[in-house]
Amino acid sequence: MAEGVAQPLSVAPTTWATETWPLGAAYDPPSSTVTFAVAAPAATRVVLEIYGAATGQDALADIDLAIGPDGVWRGRVEHVGPGTLYGYRVWGPGWDVDPAWARGGSPAGFVSDVAGNGVRFNPNKVLTDPYAMEITHSPHSPVVRAGGLDPGVFGTGGGDYRGRPRREHDTGRVAPKAVVVWDQTSTGSRPRLPEESSAIFETHVVGLTRHRSAGELRASLAAFPGFEEVVDVPSELRGTYAGAALVAPYLTALGFTTVEFLPVHESTGCEQGSDAPNYWGYATLGFFAPNRSYAADRSLGGPTREFKAMMAAFHEAGLEVYLDVVYNHTGEGGNWGGDPNTTGFTTLGGFATPDYYALTDENTLVDGATGVDNQVDASSPLASQLILDSLTHWTDVMGADGFRFDLAPVLGRSPDAHPRDDVDAQKQFMRCHPLLVGIEALAEKRDIEVIAEPWDLWGYEIGNFPPGWAAWNGKYRDALRRFLKGDGNTGDFVTMVAGDYADFAAEGGPQRSVNFVTAHDGFTMADLVSYPGKVNDNDMPFGPSNGGSDDNLSWDSGGDPGLRRQRIRNFWVLLFLSRGVPMVVGGDELGRTQNGNNNPYNLNTIGIWTNWAMAASNAPTQVRVDPDDADLAYNDILGTSGAPVGINPILGFAAYVARLRRDHPALRQRAYGDLERGGSDVSYLFSDPRGQGGRVGGDRSVRLLIDAGEVGGGDLLVMVNMADEAVDFGLADVAEGQQWRRIVDTAGIFPDEVNAWASDEGVVIENDYRAQAWSVVVLLSVPA
């Protein structure tokens, strides 16, 4: 076939009775046809192209689509099916339909790069279906350079690119192609767990099993009771959906109910060798497509099958799967060099810029509340529908049990929102925003969880979402970090451990508060207790990374490895005894370190992946980063514990407290309980160490009685001593009719670092108990 020439395929007659066709490409097996539908309300011509390969070839055929009164272009094509590769070329205001235009790069029909209300049409740039179920690659993939080009070819505007204006370069041979997918793989039966029972393990699909040590999981965990069902991850599956599925028995044994994956949508920068590395995946290109680079099976349709099989494996193990989703911005980028005429659109923006993106009065893309070059206009009906359709797809087809929304306030901002706007008006607007209300309605109908990251660059909006939304509780994170380094912020600490009533009572209960002290975005727990500030200028594989918070509320524990291990235990026990839903970042249970990097978004490296060899070491930060490189090392921040060689005591302790919460009914409640001891609900009663008075601001020692009431399981007496000296805690006021057994003491005075005991093995405590400096003690009541 000559360059620039495509042949027409057979197109079935189009009638407007087909207006109910879904957007995207829907395969109909009985008729062997695919219905294609894409929204481009202002376009004047849309051509569907069929390709025989992802790169290196011109289109095999093209089909002119017809527009309906709803602004959607449609066509039903015969003799195509699953595995078909396709893309679109679009004309409209700014680029007239001109018979002289031809593939291969043509200026014919060009009027302006930006027209009307901000539309940006260019038929030289092949676009990916916004509803694509799979995508072949990203614009920054190495396959683009392999084709003799680079990401600059996707640019518009009049700037020079290889001797011609950018707008004239044809991208057909290297543009990402959409894939027609038809798959019936089951995702299993969803566990549908009560929200208050959740314990969330946040991780990355790749980082969870990519390290070679994932192939020796059974041996690494052999010394820990309860992990007998854990299996090794074969080398060919490491760092994939299939590999992640094999970790389900580990998470169940550890005591977690839910795995939350960093974004799995197709994005730019996730592929090895990418021109713009973005390991975390917060640069979405396909809101319906699983990331191809995370699949062991990368054949057409393979990532979908493998992802769904992973979901089935987790569901069979009784685990839920939440997905971190990014709808506030996309991986298309913004105006290049600040020039409104120059963008690199490969999907949404090329079809309907003002319907998908917030624009200024000068029609430049808004880089405001997101700080990443573009901002989705979630008040637009087209953008809002895409988001709801995407969530429905990932729930109904791909089996998701919940979603965590990156920079969620952006989805509820007024189209004209500004950081100096009236704060109260913005809050009211957000609580009533149609999209946020619609997401909550979808969640209720599908029985899924929706969790907001409740801040963006313009504000902190915890408690301002519509009822039914949960939220990452940054106030909890900050209060715990401060109190556990001795700040004496007693009031905030008590409020957060008790479930943050002010922010979540109206949202439905403490189960709407997702409590965390670490997440992917920031320090690991080991680094939190070991570094006074971020260290992001490391050499590979621990850096360099730009950005990252400068205000970490961290403390290096005076450089004492033993105290660092003790403080890790403090965080674990308080996180799992607090009202609300606990969340940890994967690897914290092993002492995983990033050598002080608090923003490794760009590092898909062995230094960031979970090193499972740590489980089998009493000196986890002394294990080799790479078994084949003796010179590559973690900073030994945790030293050598007193535990037996081959046993990581952090893991044993983490499993104990996670299982304690899983098994104790008083720690999994939807209500805030009574204010007095002896009520029918669980109550959190705080006092001074002797139980004789209330807390005083600046106190670094607090006693908490968790009164189980009629719920059962036994009361819990928690002694929190963040003073730098031992403090005596009293039991006289709670001793009548009960016997107290010690089940947790985080202090490093126990030589083998066994800091937790079964309820029938714990020492009986009859009088006062001396809590060591920087320690937490938990007593469990049993009938006297």
Side-chain angles (χ1 to χ4, degrees):
M1 184 179 296
E3 181 177 345
V5 177
Q7 301 298 319
L9 283 178
S10 172
V11 183
T14 299
T15 67
W16 297 123
T18 61
E19 284 181 25
T20 57
W21 289 348
L23 292 171
Y27 175 61
D28 178 40
S31 63
S32 295
T33 64
V34 176
T35 59
F36 293 89
V38 66
T44 55
R45 184 190 185 197
V46 175
V47 171
L48 166 71
E49 292 189 332
I50 305 297
Y51 286 84
T55 62
Q57 296 183 13
D58 294 314
L60 299 176
D62 63 27
I63 302 100
D64 265 282
L65 302 186
I67 190 172
D70 56 355
V72 175
W73 296 76
R74 299 179 173 88
R76 187 166 67 241
V77 183
E78 298 173 339
H79 310 304
V80 295
T84 298
L85 304 180
Y86 67 100
Y88 292 101
R89 296 184 189 265
V90 187
W91 289 256
W95 204 298
D96 296 338
V97 176
D98 188 327
W101 181 89
R103 289 171 181 80
S106 172
F110 171 73
V111 178
S112 63
D113 292 293
V114 184
N117 60 346
V119 294
R120 290 162 165 84
F121 295 113
N122 186 332
N124 291 319
K125 310 300 179 182
V126 170
L127 302 176
T128 307
D129 185 355
Y131 280 66
M133 299 302 179
E134 281 187 14
I135 298 172
T136 57
H137 60 279
S138 87
H140 291 275
S141 170
V143 301
V144 175
R145 290 194 181 275
L149 297 168
D150 59 62
V153 73
F154 298 103
T156 57
D160 178 78
Y161 180 76
R162 301 192 178 188
R164 296 175 61 189
R166 288 186 185 275
R167 72 173 70 91
E168 296 180 13
H169 283 269
D170 194 295
T171 64
R173 294 188 175 186
V174 295
K177 309 304 188 300
V179 183
V180 176
V181 175
W182 188 77
D183 181 81
Q184 301 300 302
T185 303
S186 172
T187 60
S189 299
R190 290 175 44 211
R192 300 181 185 273
L193 303 174
E195 298 100 324
E196 65 273 16
S197 295
S198 298
I200 302 171
F201 186 93
E202 189 206 30
T203 189
H204 191 293
V205 167
V206 173
L208 182 62
T209 64
R210 184 67 185 89
H211 198 279
R212 187 192 306 181
S213 58
E216 301 174 347
L217 270 177
R218 287 181 62 85
S220 296
L221 296 164
F224 295 93
F227 289 87
E228 293 79 12
E229 300 301 317
V230 170
V231 298
D232 296 335
V233 180
S235 59
E236 67 274 14
L237 300 183
R238 295 201 308 262
T240 68
Y241 301 124
L246 297 177
V247 183
Y250 169 80
L251 295 177
T252 301
L254 189 59
F256 284 79
T257 68
T258 306
V259 58
E260 179 174 304
F261 285 119
L262 268 67
V264 298
H265 291 171
E266 191 63 67
S267 64
T268 188
C270 288
E271 297 151 303
Q272 289 284 5
S274 170
D275 283 295
N278 190 325
Y279 168 58
W280 285 351
Y282 287 88
T284 309
L285 287 175
F287 292 98
F288 296 77
N291 196 307
R292 184 170 300 278
S293 69
Y294 296 173
D297 179 1
R298 299 185 185 180
S299 64
L300 301 180
T304 299
R305 290 190 298 272
E306 188 174 323
F307 182 91
K308 293 169 75 174
M310 176 190 73
M311 299 297 279
F314 281 116
H315 289 162
E316 184 178 355
L319 293 164
E320 294 187 321
V321 181
Y322 295 169
L323 303 179
D324 194 339
V325 288
V326 187
Y327 295 115
N328 61 85
H329 71 281
T330 78
E332 288 197 283
N335 301 112
W336 291 13
D339 177 12
N341 294 311
T342 307
T343 56
F345 291 150
T346 58
T347 179
L348 301 175
F351 289 104
T353 310
D355 291 285
Y356 288 117
Y357 292 116
L359 301 174
T360 68
D361 292 339
E362 293 76 31
N363 287 326
T364 59
L365 278 80
V366 170
D367 180 13
T370 67
V372 285
D373 299 330
N374 64 47
Q375 184 169 312
V376 170
D377 181 2
S379 294
S380 159
L382 200 58
S384 179
Q385 190 61 51
L386 178 139
I387 294 169
L388 290 170
D389 287 347
S390 171
L391 293 169
T392 301
H393 171 75
W394 285 96
T395 303
D396 293 354
V397 178
M398 306 299 275
D401 303 284
F403 302 91
R404 177 267 188 186
F405 293 78
D406 177 65
L407 300 182
V410 176
L411 304 182
R413 296 293 185 197
S414 162
D416 302 317
H418 189 280
R420 290 189 297 271
D421 283 349
D422 182 271
V423 174
D424 291 335
Q426 274 295 305
K427 290 179 179 179
Q428 183 60 32
F429 186 89
M430 181 169 292
R431 291 187 70 84
C432 300
H433 194 282
L435 176 58
L436 297 183
V437 172
I439 290 172
E440 192 283 325
L442 175 67
E444 183 175 2
K445 183 177 181 180
R446 296 297 201 278
D447 190 19
I448 58 174
E449 185 75 355
V450 289
I451 303 169
E453 180 184 41
W455 52 82
D456 58 17
L457 296 188
W458 287 354
Y460 189 83
E461 305 294 348
I462 196 166
N464 294 331
F465 285 80
W469 277 76
W472 274 20
N473 196 338
K475 293 182 180 179
Y476 179 95
R477 173 200 60 203
D478 295 347
L480 266 287
R481 287 187 177 193
R482 289 188 60 206
F483 194 79
L484 268 62
K485 69 182 182 72
D487 281 8
N489 54 315
T490 319
D492 289 342
F493 171 75
V494 166
T495 297
M496 293 301 121
V497 171
D500 194 0
Y501 182 89
D503 288 319
F504 291 100
E507 308 303 320
Q511 77 279 4
R512 300 300 186 193
S513 175
V514 176
N515 300 332
F516 69 106
V517 292
T518 57
H520 71 276
D521 187 3
F523 278 143
T524 65
M525 200 176 290
D527 288 350
L528 177 66
V529 300
S530 302
Y531 292 91
K534 66 183 183 183
V535 186
N536 292 1
D537 56 353
N538 292 306
D539 293 331
M540 291 289 282
F542 298 104
S545 303
N546 59 11
S549 176
D550 294 320
D551 184 17
N552 297 280
L553 300 176
S554 61
W555 174 43
D556 70 355
S557 308
D560 181 350
L563 181 55
R564 289 169 178 166
R565 299 191 300 271
Q566 179 170 319
R567 295 185 62 223
I568 288 174
R569 293 190 288 270
N570 292 344
F571 277 116
W572 272 93
V573 68
L574 287 172
L575 180 61
F576 279 77
L577 266 60
S578 297
R579 271 201 182 112
V581 171
M583 184 191 80
V584 300
V585 65
D588 273 355
E589 78 280 13
L590 304 174
R592 186 174 72 90
T593 175
Q594 295 169 167
N595 277 11
N597 192 329
N598 75 347
N599 197 44
Y601 72 96
N602 59 325
L603 300 178
N604 185 2
T605 68
I606 195 170
I608 303 304
W609 305 330
T610 298
N611 187 341
W612 295 98
M614 288 181 169
S617 175
N618 65 343
T621 52
Q622 293 175 20
V623 303
R624 285 189 175 183
V625 177
D626 183 344
D628 296 330
D629 187 347
D631 295 327
L632 192 61
Y634 300 109
N635 294 332
D636 184 19
I637 53 178
L638 298 182
T640 302
S641 74
V645 174
I647 294 180
N648 184 336
I650 299 173
L651 175 59
F653 186 83
Y656 178 90
V657 297
R659 294 168 183 173
L660 175 63
R661 183 183 185 277
R662 179 195 65 190
D663 298 336
H664 198 302
L667 300 177
R668 296 175 282 107
Q669 295 295 307
R670 300 177 71 91
Y672 282 95
D674 296 338
L675 297 178
E676 296 181 359
R677 178 167 168 72
S680 60
D681 295 325
V682 176
S683 299
Y684 276 50
L685 306 172
F686 294 86
S687 68
D688 66 13
R690 308 297 302 179
Q692 297 176 349
R695 301 90 50 210
V696 177
D699 285 350
R700 292 167 60 180
S701 302
V702 175
R703 200 191 75 173
L704 163 63
L705 173 66
I706 302 177
D707 178 4
E710 296 177 2
V711 170
D715 296 344
L716 295 162
L717 193 66
V718 186
M719 308 171 191
V720 184
N721 180 26
M722 293 301 113
D724 53 10
E725 60 183 6
V727 172
D728 290 329
F729 283 74
L731 278 70
D733 62 315
V734 293
E736 184 177 352
Q738 298 189 88
Q739 182 184 90
W740 292 98
R741 288 183 177 269
R742 182 185 63 193
I743 59 172
V744 169
D745 188 332
T746 66
I749 59 175
F750 303 97
D752 54 358
E753 297 209 27
V754 175
N755 296 91
W757 300 268
S759 60
D760 59 350
E761 297 176 351
V763 174
V764 175
I765 307 300
E766 296 180 349
N767 300 305
D768 292 355
Y769 190 92
R770 175 158 291 184
Q772 300 301 308
W774 305 107
S775 71
V776 179
V777 179
V778 182
L779 309 183
L780 174 69
S781 70
V782 294

